[in-house]
Amino acid sequence: MINLILFGSFFVMLFLNIPICVSLGMSSIFAMVFSGDKLSIVPTNVYNGMAKFLLLAIPFFVLSGNIMAKAGISTRLVQFIDDCIGHRRGGIAIVCVVVACFFGAISGSGPATVAALGIVIPPSIAFVVYASITGVSVGDMFMGGIVPGIMMGAALVIVIMIEVRKKGLTSSREKASWGQRWKSFRTAFWGFLMPVIILGGIYGGIFTPTEAAAVSVVYGLIVGLFIYREVKLKDLYELLVDSGKTTGGIMLIIGAATLFSYICTVHGISGAAQTLLLNISGNKYVFLLIVNVIFLIAGCFVDANSAMYIFIPIMYPVATKLGINPIHFGVLSTVNLAIGQVTPPVGVNLFVAIGVSAKLQDVKDKTRVTIETISKAVWPMIIACVLTLLIVTYIPIFSTIFLKG
């Protein structure tokens, strides 16, 4: 009965469009009241879920991404990539994918990048969350996400090239000169350097992932204030507030999901699910297929961070028993949940993209983007990403190639 109350109330609130953190927290409380648990454990579990040193990386990475966006790095990246490949057929769309790869390496947030690539390409908040749950190295997670992130980007470019040929689209601009490319590269250089500093510093043992996040903020301020000079001192308050709101939302989800996971563990739900998974899938390849199906479905309704706190504590012990590399499992889980960011009906990035397009279009324009039109258009991209997911799932070397040892 407690299973029905916990998951039933959660999905009812989810379908009523109640925020995910409230849905997770209230369903947990309903289950506790029914089972007679003391409500005093609610603040304790919520606090313990958020009060982890590793999670300090999240506000710093969010702030650094906002600073670099305010500094105009996205505009400079677009200009350079457009000068390089914008003259090709489908150039604008290809530029968007390539820039999303680079901006994902700065922000680590899917909605901030408006691309699923944002939570796969390091530094990634999802990788930090996975590491905080399982205890694996954040640096290893970052390194494990490099190749799969590039593979997803390449898959999306291939889809674009196929689509433009099917529709007979032609180039919309002339090829830029090498002089123009060199000029735009020099202006975008400081943006390219940021992920090099972060990943190089972590992998070289110069600083920890949390320290790297703090370094990225300092670097972003230096670039924004003194090099590009597009960030003013008066802008810092707004940047801090925006970053605080984003971080607060993430932390509320983490706290509520921690409580939800605690209820599952205490009342034997997690243990029963683990036993069921082992009985159904004694073979690791079957287990990975089941994991992908579960995550693909879950990604349609909940965000990546929530899904990780709900499912990873159940699936991770089974994965280790079956001899699956923890980094490989974390990367494939993140790639899977990244697809959920653009999967209807609750693909958060779809709504972010609609919001951005609405600002650029006349509200009376009959061709404006809606959830129906964008949901139809995104399916070729989803199929390409799912194929990439299968490759990442069953060929572990793509996730572990850069790991030490």
Side-chain angles (χ1 to χ4, degrees):
M1 186 64 181
I2 192 170
N3 297 7
L4 178 61
I5 293 175
L6 181 65
F7 289 97
S9 60
F10 170 68
F11 283 109
V12 167
M13 286 186 282
L14 204 62
F15 282 113
L16 291 175
N17 205 28
I18 295 174
I20 184 68
C21 61
V22 178
S23 300
L24 287 168
M26 291 305 300
S27 60
S28 301
I29 292 174
F30 291 154
M32 292 172 64
V33 172
F34 174 80
S35 62
D37 294 337
K38 294 181 179 180
L39 293 181
S40 59
I41 65 176
V42 172
T44 302
N45 276 274
V46 171
Y47 175 78
N48 289 338
M50 296 186 292
K52 296 179 180 179
F53 177 75
L54 189 58
L55 295 180
L56 282 175
I58 294 177
F60 283 121
F61 278 134
V62 170
L63 178 58
S64 67
N66 287 340
I67 290 172
M68 295 301 283
K70 183 69 175 179
I73 186 61
S74 56
T75 303
R76 290 169 170 82
L77 287 173
V78 169
Q79 183 61 56
F80 171 65
I81 303 301
D82 187 48
D83 286 342
C84 291
I85 58 178
H87 61 280
R88 298 181 179 275
R89 286 199 293 180
I92 295 297
I94 296 174
V95 167
C96 288
V97 173
V98 177
V99 171
C101 289
F102 284 111
F103 200 73
I106 294 172
S107 168
S109 168
T113 310
V114 196
L117 296 166
I119 72 167
V120 178
I121 295 177
S124 164
I125 290 174
F127 285 160
V128 175
V129 170
Y130 176 84
S132 72
I133 297 172
T134 61
V136 301
S137 166
V138 179
D140 286 346
M141 287 299 303
F142 284 176
M143 299 309 295
I146 294 176
V147 175
I150 294 174
M151 290 171 61
M152 286 185 71
L156 295 177
V157 170
I158 292 172
V159 171
I160 292 170
M161 294 173 67
I162 293 173
E163 288 294 315
V164 296
R165 280 165 174 73
K166 283 173 55 179
K167 296 178 181 178
L169 300 179
T170 58
S171 174
S172 59
R173 56 159 292 178
E174 295 182 356
K175 185 176 181 180
S177 66
W178 284 105
Q180 175 59 33
R181 292 177 183 179
W182 173 245
K183 180 181 178 181
S184 59
F185 171 76
R186 285 186 300 170
T187 61
F189 171 77
W190 300 103
F192 290 125
L193 190 60
M194 188 174 187
V196 174
I197 293 174
I198 295 172
L199 297 180
I202 294 173
Y203 205 60
I206 300 174
F207 35 66
T208 67
T210 302
E211 292 168 344
V215 168
S216 70
V217 171
V218 176
Y219 177 82
L221 286 173
I222 293 173
V223 172
L225 289 169
F226 304 111
I227 298 178
Y228 291 155
R229 297 182 180 179
E230 294 196 20
V231 176
K232 309 300 181 185
L233 289 176
K234 64 180 181 180
D235 297 326
L236 295 183
Y237 175 77
E238 183 180 351
L239 289 171
L240 289 170
V241 171
D242 288 343
S243 300
K245 290 178 179 178
T246 302
T247 303
I250 295 172
M251 289 302 180
L252 282 174
I253 291 174
I254 289 175
T258 301
L259 180 62
F260 191 94
S261 179
Y262 169 81
I263 299 301
C264 290
T265 301
V266 168
H267 292 282
I269 300 173
S270 297
Q274 290 172 14
T275 302
L276 179 62
L277 280 173
L278 280 172
N279 290 336
I280 294 176
S281 56
N283 183 292
K284 70 177 182 179
Y285 299 106
V286 176
F287 168 74
L288 290 174
L289 178 61
I290 294 173
V291 167
N292 279 333
V293 171
I294 292 174
F295 273 142
L296 284 172
I297 295 174
C300 295
F301 302 99
V302 298
D303 66 286
N305 296 330
S306 301
M308 282 194 171
Y309 269 92
I310 295 171
F311 294 108
I312 292 300
I314 297 173
M315 296 174 173
Y316 182 75
V318 179
T320 54
K321 286 182 180 179
L322 294 175
I324 299 171
N325 184 290
I327 302 301
H328 172 224
F329 185 69
V331 171
L332 73 88
S333 299
T334 305
V335 170
N336 198 317
L337 292 170
I339 297 173
Q341 301 275 294
V342 293
T343 305
V346 195
V348 62
N349 285 357
L350 297 182
F351 292 97
V352 173
I354 291 171
V356 172
S357 66
K359 295 178 181 179
L360 303 177
Q361 294 176 306
D362 187 338
V363 294
K364 297 181 180 179
D365 185 359
K366 295 182 179 179
T367 63
R368 69 182 185 274
V369 179
T370 64
I371 187 62
E372 290 81 10
T373 56
I374 199 171
S375 294
K376 292 179 181 177
V378 81
W379 277 110
M381 306 290 184
I382 293 175
I383 292 172
C385 288
V386 170
L387 293 176
T388 303
L389 169 64
L390 292 175
I391 295 173
V392 172
T393 298
Y394 292 109
I395 308 179
I397 189 65
F398 290 119
S399 305
T400 59
I401 188 170
F402 290 127
L403 299 185
K404 295 179 179 179

